[in-house]
Amino acid sequence: MELSVHRRWLAAILNLLFLGGVWCDCTEEGLEIEGGEYTLTHGLKLYSTVIYQCKPNFFPYPDQTRQCIRDRWQTVPRSSRNIRQICRLVECPDPTVLKYGSVYPPQDRYFVNTETTYECDSGYRLRGSVKRFCLANGKWNGSTPICSRDDAGNHCPDPGIPPGTFRSGDVFDIDDEVTYNCNNNLMYLVGSRVRTCKEGGEWSGIEPSCFYKYTYDSASDINAEFGGSMKQSLTELQSIDDIQGERKIKITKNGILNMYIAVDISDSLNKDDINKSTVMVQQLIERIASYAVSPNYDILFFTSELKVISNILDFYNSENPKTLENVVNDLKNFKIKDDRATGTDLNKVFKHILERIYIIENTTKSNFEDHYHVLLIFTDGGYNMGGSPLANLQRIKDTIKQEDHLDVYIFAVGAKIYEQDLQPLATDQRGRHFFRILKEDMDTMFDEIVDDDEVVSLCGLHKMSDNSDTKQKIYPWNVKITIQRGLEQSKTCTGAIVSSKFILTAAHCFHGDLPEKIQVDIKHKINEVEKYFIHSQYNVKAKAHLGISEFFDYDIALLQLKKDLNFTIDLKPICIPCTKETTQALRLPLESKCTEQEKLLLKDFNERLHFLTRGDTVQRKDVYAKLGGNREPCINQAKRLPNVTEINLHEVVTDHFLCTGGTSPFVDHIACKGDSGGAVFKDYNQRTIQVGVVSWGTDQLCDDKLGKLVKSNEYSRDFHLNLFKVVDFLHLVMTSNDQNSAPTDFIDN
Ligand SMILES: *[C@@H]1O[C@H](CO)[C@@H](O)[C@H](O)[C@H]1NC(C)=O
Ligand SMILES: *[C@@H]1O[C@H](CO)[C@@H](O)[C@H](O)[C@H]1NC(C)=O
Ligand SMILES: *[C@@H]1O[C@H](CO)[C@@H](O)[C@H](O)[C@H]1NC(C)=O
Ligand SMILES: *[C@@H]1O[C@H](CO)[C@@H](O)[C@H](O)[C@H]1NC(C)=O
Ligand SMILES: *[C@@H]1O[C@H](CO)[C@@H](O)[C@H](O)[C@H]1NC(C)=O
């Protein structure tokens, strides 16, 4: 009696507190999970969220998260029962829905690691997997088994009944519909609920799946589904025939791809997760960069406020267009503040994108219909501010008009996901566009979305990341050349792969050496040289009459390999001037002349270029070629050499040389001995184009040390043969000596 009075009194006090808005924080009581762990977003504070984690193969039940509301940890949305949290074994959707066949073992429930086999009744043939395993993410691997009769005479093949679904509709003729639902209200449906048998004998939409709340998409699911559709869009530049009629993202030849990437960083994610997000976005755009299509990017992080990292309109700025490198730097430099706003306002994101699309429409006017728009939204759960984004999504659709020019992908990240809010935002007509991913997978999920094999033959294409193990991937065209000279020490030079047969290097590396004395080291494998070609006008003694003992005009050579190279992601050619491939790499109109490439690559009075040096590892040297009015002061320093005078300067340093070095406007690196013959290159839109060959210099600053990043002094200069001046040589040698492999496609001046 007394106890109950006491309780009532306490309840009254608490009620008073709540009514007055003085809500309390929570305690650790009732937080624990049997067999698992939890993390708290804001400690025990009011509105903090607890996120439950279980070991692999288990999932937190009944809730993945709870929130501190009033003074208790509660299920959101609230439910009457707040039972104890435990880790339960992962279960896969029921496979016994199979029609005209049997599933072994027959069971009521199928838990993780269960192996099932499928068999059809007599007279029926099995399509799909014979064996399937229940995986740790709650999905069956392989594909849906379907038992059908070959002689059924239907217009469309039996679309099957995926595990966990219930299908209505058993007639498969033109315009017939089948409708799917989940056979368990704990599951939700992904994919097409309704499919129609089309004239071509195919079903519209994509196969539906029913998933439990804890089911997530593994990196390999994402590679297969999202990667598949990205790949299709990005290879479309090669204009593949649309046989399937179910193309996912479409890009026509001159189409422009606008990508809008929005990442939720609301307060239920911590700093580590945000780092993962930046790494993930970076990886995604790096992977996409391996295609010839180079999208424009709008990248924003959002909570209830937006933080724009890359403004897509900067890509439309004709004066000073944004580059992908700028975007990557912006991402790397992005820091979150501790006091960022809470809440998730997804509607603000869609409104922002809508505004961007309006402006793009206004600025591009007539060719707006060549613009494709892909929205990638990474969001933690759902949205809790700003209302539903559906109306703004509709406005986006109305603006773009062509349905196949818009794709909205939703990647739901985190423990508590409101798929009923998020799924309608994804455009699910052409392939799956809604994914649930684990936070742990975020930074690696796009690793494999682009198949390396398909892009290896594109010249100058490389990865951007600078881990030591990927150096060869950043400079996959870089080779070491060794010339054996009997008792003399062997000489080393650097070269660049320019086709499957040819290595480009400097003529001065050779002194009448026999081809068998020359070795080309590519990825630590020695390649033999069949023969080599020195520019016919190269003559080191040509200016001896002026007292110039060594003269390097036309210092260029091509080595023809005995065996054609087989390209891989870390062994492939650099782009060279005046070829069709380079026109494409530079995204110039296909009919462009060579001079337009030159104008684009060598336009600034201080043009940033690079070359490589090889010691224990390969390192990049950074220089500025002094062009236009800056060239004369640069080459002037050659007068410090013996017998070079005001009068003969231009005879010694001919117009064929690019001049680098010095300390102005920046301190350049200077070439060392083994760097000779290496490519002087420029990075442009993730592609590398060779514009010169390292030839000679005024000073020896390197003390014979190989592979050192040595800085220039005020006076020292390097001269590199400008490839634009010797295109005829490249053209002649490479086209007349390369019958077997695809010849390099040179264009006119
Ligand atoms: C399914 O997973 C099992 C176990 O990992 C594997 O042995 C099997 O080859 C997989 N089957 C398919 C179709 O991927
Ligand atoms: C993000 O994580 C990567 C690798 O885990 C690390 O190298 C990098 O410094 C981190 N960046 C920030 C801003 O914390
Ligand atoms: C686009 O142009 C129309 C008419 O030219 C104008 O009314 C509208 O405000 C413009 N929108 C934007 C976002 O600039
Ligand atoms: C400079 O020219 C003179 C006369 O031709 C020659 O004797 C001398 O060796 C040259 N100096 C050098 C360093 O080549
Ligand atoms: C390239 O592949 C072909 C066929 O597999 C092989 O014969 C040839 O030796 C390879 N070339 C090199 C340089 O390894």
Side-chain angles (χ1 to χ4, degrees), residues 150-303:
D150 292 333
D151 59 356
N154 290 314
H155 187 73
C156 283
D158 188 327
I161 308 178
T165 67
F166 167 82
R167 185 186 76 201
S168 43
D170 281 319
V171 196
F172 310 141
D173 283 325
I174 296 186
D175 292 336
D176 281 334
E177 273 184 8
V178 290
T179 304
Y180 293 90
N181 283 294
C182 295
N183 58 13
N184 175 332
N185 60 10
L186 294 176
M187 292 196 288
Y188 65 97
L189 188 132
V190 177
S192 306
R193 189 175 291 279
V194 179
R195 303 185 79 182
T196 310
C197 174
K198 298 195 303 184
E199 226 174 277
E202 286 169 28
W203 291 96
S204 69
I206 50 163
E207 185 179 289
S209 311
C210 282
F211 293 150
Y212 286 104
K213 284 263 184 190
Y214 52 79
T215 305
Y216 60 91
D217 294 296
S218 64
S220 62
D221 298 334
I222 298 204
N223 290 334
E225 309 220 30
F226 173 70
S229 61
M230 282 308 292
K231 201 181 303 186
Q232 271 183 319
S233 98
L234 296 167
T235 47
E236 182 71 357
L237 268 190
Q238 287 122 43
S239 183
I240 302 160
D241 284 336
D242 188 355
I243 307 161
Q244 289 285 313
E246 290 289 324
R247 169 76 38 66
K248 292 162 187 176
I249 308 173
K250 260 191 181 172
I251 301 298
T252 50
K253 260 200 160 54
N254 291 309
I256 293 157
L257 180 61
N258 293 310
M259 290 200 81
Y260 309 83
I261 303 177
V263 185
D264 181 356
I265 54 164
S266 62
D267 68 348
S268 53
L269 292 168
N270 60 35
K271 274 190 188 170
D272 245 17
D273 298 327
I274 289 170
N275 186 10
K276 281 193 167 192
S277 304
T278 62
V279 171
M280 180 225 22
V281 174
Q282 201 181 316
Q283 254 181 4
L284 177 67
I285 65 179
E286 283 179 8
R287 302 303 295 180
I288 290 173
S290 40
Y291 281 97
V293 180
S294 185
N296 303 322
Y297 286 102
D298 207 69
I299 299 174
L300 54 110
F301 285 3
F302 69 100
T303 54

Side-chain angles (χ1 to χ4, degrees), residues 23-27 29-31 38-52 63-79 82 85 266-268 342-344 380 384 415-416 418:
W23 291 346
C24 306
D25 295 339
C26 289
T27 65
E29 198 190 319
L31 256 182
Y38 62 81
T39 50
L40 295 164
T41 58
H42 287 86
L44 299 173
K45 291 212 180 76
L46 183 65
Y47 298 134
S48 176
T49 299
V50 51
I51 300 168
Y52 291 106
D63 297 317
Q64 307 224 312
T65 65
R66 284 183 182 177
Q67 203 173 20
C68 175
I69 298 175
R70 316 246 155 132
D71 59 347
R72 285 178 50 216
W73 296 101
Q74 304 203 10
T75 304
V76 184
R78 291 185 64 187
S79 91
N82 240 15
Q85 286 283 126
S266 62
D267 68 348
S268 53
T342 57
T344 306
D380 165 27
N384 53 20
K416 185 90 192 176
Y418 299 94

Side-chain angles (χ1 to χ4, degrees), residues 129 131 133 135 141-142:
S129 299
K131 257 190 212 302
F133 282 79
L135 306 179
N141 74 355

Side-chain angles (χ1 to χ4, degrees), residues 360-617:
I360 291 169
E361 185 191 22
N362 273 15
T363 48
T364 58
K365 287 268 174 338
S366 61
N367 73 353
F368 184 66
E369 59 197 39
D370 292 335
H371 286 243
Y372 293 74
H373 306 265
V374 176
L375 278 56
L376 304 179
I377 315 281
F378 296 84
T379 182
D380 165 27
Y383 44 87
N384 53 20
M385 298 180 75
S388 165
L390 279 171
N392 279 319
L393 174 60
Q394 191 55 48
R395 285 184 196 110
I396 291 174
K397 288 180 177 168
D398 294 345
T399 310
I400 292 170
K401 294 189 188 79
Q402 294 141 288
E403 194 202 349
D404 64 348
H405 281 38
L406 173 71
D407 282 279
V408 184
Y409 292 92
I410 304 283
F411 294 88
V413 192
K416 185 90 192 176
I417 289 163
Y418 299 94
E419 53 279 328
Q420 65 278 17
D421 287 350
L422 295 176
Q423 253 189 304
L425 301 173
T427 49
D428 250 349
Q429 284 312 302
R430 297 180 304 282
R432 223 180 116 197
H433 284 48
F434 177 77
F435 299 95
R436 277 190 63 144
I437 54 179
L438 289 186
K439 255 189 255 174
E440 298 80 77
D441 287 347
M442 259 181 102
D443 51 351
T444 54
M445 61 185 264
F446 293 131
D447 265 1
E448 307 297 332
I449 62 157
V450 173
D451 193 348
D452 287 339
D453 292 347
E454 294 182 16
V455 296
V456 290
S457 58
L458 289 174
C459 68
L461 187 68
H462 60 92
K463 304 213 167 175
M464 290 198 288
S465 54
D466 208 1
N467 308 324
S468 55
D469 64 322
T470 56
K471 275 273 157 65
Q472 187 60 42
K473 293 185 181 170
I474 308 175
Y475 313 115
W477 34 264
N478 183 45
V479 306
K480 180 176 156 188
I481 299 166
T482 310
I483 304 117
Q484 310 285 348
R485 296 220 174 102
L487 297 177
E488 250 183 88
Q489 220 188 345
S490 58
K491 181 182 170 71
T492 62
C493 272
T494 301
I497 300 170
V498 292
S499 76
S500 58
K501 217 185 225 16
F502 285 103
I503 308 296
L504 182 55
T505 185
H508 80 256
C509 296
F510 312 100
H511 299 296
D513 302 282
L514 292 169
E516 52 265 39
K517 298 290 180 193
I518 304 169
Q519 296 182 330
V520 180
D521 179 338
I522 306 176
K523 285 176 70 189
H524 307 298
K525 190 169 166 279
I526 302 298
N527 290 258
E528 292 175 306
V529 173
E530 175 78 38
K531 51 183 167 176
Y532 65 98
F533 302 85
I534 304 269
H535 197 291
S536 60
Q537 282 163 276
Y538 172 74
N539 176 5
V540 77
K541 294 288 170 214
K543 303 288 169 184
H545 62 282
L546 298 174
I548 308 298
S549 52
E550 291 183 308
F551 174 60
F552 293 106
D553 204 3
Y554 303 105
D555 187 8
I556 186 172
L558 280 164
L559 310 182
Q560 183 179 332
L561 299 174
K562 269 199 178 139
K563 275 195 197 165
D564 278 11
L565 296 168
N566 300 314
F567 295 147
T568 62
I569 196 70
D570 49 7
L571 190 172
K572 54 194 301 217
I574 193 167
C575 300
I576 51 173
C578 307
T579 61
K580 281 232 167 72
E581 290 90 336
T582 301
T583 298
Q584 280 165 359
L586 298 176
R587 292 204 275 156
L588 285 167
L590 288 178
E591 63 279 8
S592 308
K593 298 260 192 273
C594 182
T595 46
E596 287 164 67
Q597 295 187 2
E598 188 172 3
K599 264 189 244 155
L600 198 59
L601 291 166
L602 300 173
K603 63 175 186 310
D604 286 343
F605 280 18
N606 295 298
E607 190 70 59
R608 190 172 158 83
L609 303 175
H610 315 279
F611 54 92
L612 302 178
T613 191
R614 182 197 297 260
D616 296 335
T617 62

